[in-house]
Amino acid sequence: MTQPRIHFSPPESPAPEPGALPLANAVRWISPHEEKGLHPVVTIFLTQTAYARVVEHAASELDNEVGGVLVGKWCLDAETSQQFIVAVAALPARFTEQGSVYLTFTQDSLVDIHAKIDLLYPGEAIVGWYHTHPRMGVFLSNYDTWLHENFFPEPWQVALVIEPHTEIAGFFIRKEDGVLDPSRYFGFYELDGTCGHSVVGWKNMHEEIQAVENNGGDIHE
Ligand SMILES: [Zn+2]
């Protein structure tokens, strides 16, 4: 075994892209841990396409862990100074160690992932990773935390864990001080708006009730 030497995040990603929070076409999903004063460093927007791909991959293997990366953009809303990521795609990774209770990113799968991003999503970054915990619940193990720190070291990179049997999931995001809580997870914004209704089925998340807006949604001063 050699030490992993490839990092997911390319070194040439020094600054977030400027952009406004895409709230107009988003539904906010809240995790049970969020009302307890947690302040994540980034807000997550997950497109319905990426969500569907993750769920499909998670359901394809109910005995072993599977996973991959989330592809998209790291952005900064200048008006609110809020950092956010927009995950537009999920790329399943192939793992040679698959078959037990953990998975690992191999060099082959990293090369494969980078080639796919260059081909299909040029200009996009790896904003995080996802993996399943069949019959284990939603948390980061010590190994998961190690993997996150070593392969996804940027403060804005996130980890999504899915339990495919009970259909629960959560995002692990660093806090503003850089600390990652391995047991308390966050929700996200479901992003799309093309079909006008939610596709999220994770049972531990609840939808934020928002003030009713008319079409066009004027914002009050
Ligand atoms: Zn894990």
Side-chain angles (χ1 to χ4, degrees), residues 1-8 104-107 110 143 146-147 149-151:
M1 287 279 288
T2 53
Q3 291 286 100
R5 297 180 64 126
I6 296 177
H7 275 217
F8 270 117
T104 186
F105 289 96
T106 64
Q107 291 217 353
L110 296 182
Y143 175 74
W146 176 88
L147 198 151
E149 296 302 335
N150 283 277
F151 287 87

Side-chain angles (χ1 to χ4, degrees), residues 4-125:
R5 297 180 64 126
I6 296 177
H7 275 217
F8 270 117
S9 45
E12 67 276 14
S13 59
E17 297 192 18
L21 289 163
L23 295 169
N25 297 318
V27 174
R28 177 73 166 97
W29 291 93
I30 301 171
S31 102
H33 298 291
E34 281 187 66
E35 282 111 30
K36 295 164 190 163
L38 294 177
H39 296 291
V41 71
V42 289
T43 302
I44 297 171
F45 291 84
L46 182 69
T47 64
Q48 291 184 340
T49 306
Y51 172 85
R53 188 73 189 93
V54 164
V55 168
E56 177 192 47
H57 190 203
S60 70
E61 173 55 73
L62 293 175
D63 292 319
N64 299 305
E65 294 190 12
V66 295
V69 300
L70 298 170
V71 177
K73 284 189 184 343
W74 170 42
C75 306
L76 176 68
D77 183 306
E79 206 165 300
T80 62
S81 300
Q82 220 174 317
Q83 292 185 55
F84 62 99
I85 57 173
V86 180
V88 298
L91 290 180
R94 292 195 294 270
F95 302 100
T96 56
E97 304 292 330
Q98 186 182 316
S100 61
V101 292
Y102 71 96
L103 55 80
T104 186
F105 289 96
T106 64
Q107 291 217 353
D108 281 352
S109 64
L110 296 182
V111 169
D112 183 51
I113 283 166
H114 281 293
K116 277 204 181 104
I117 291 174
D118 288 344
L119 185 70
L120 301 172
Y121 308 100
E124 306 281 351

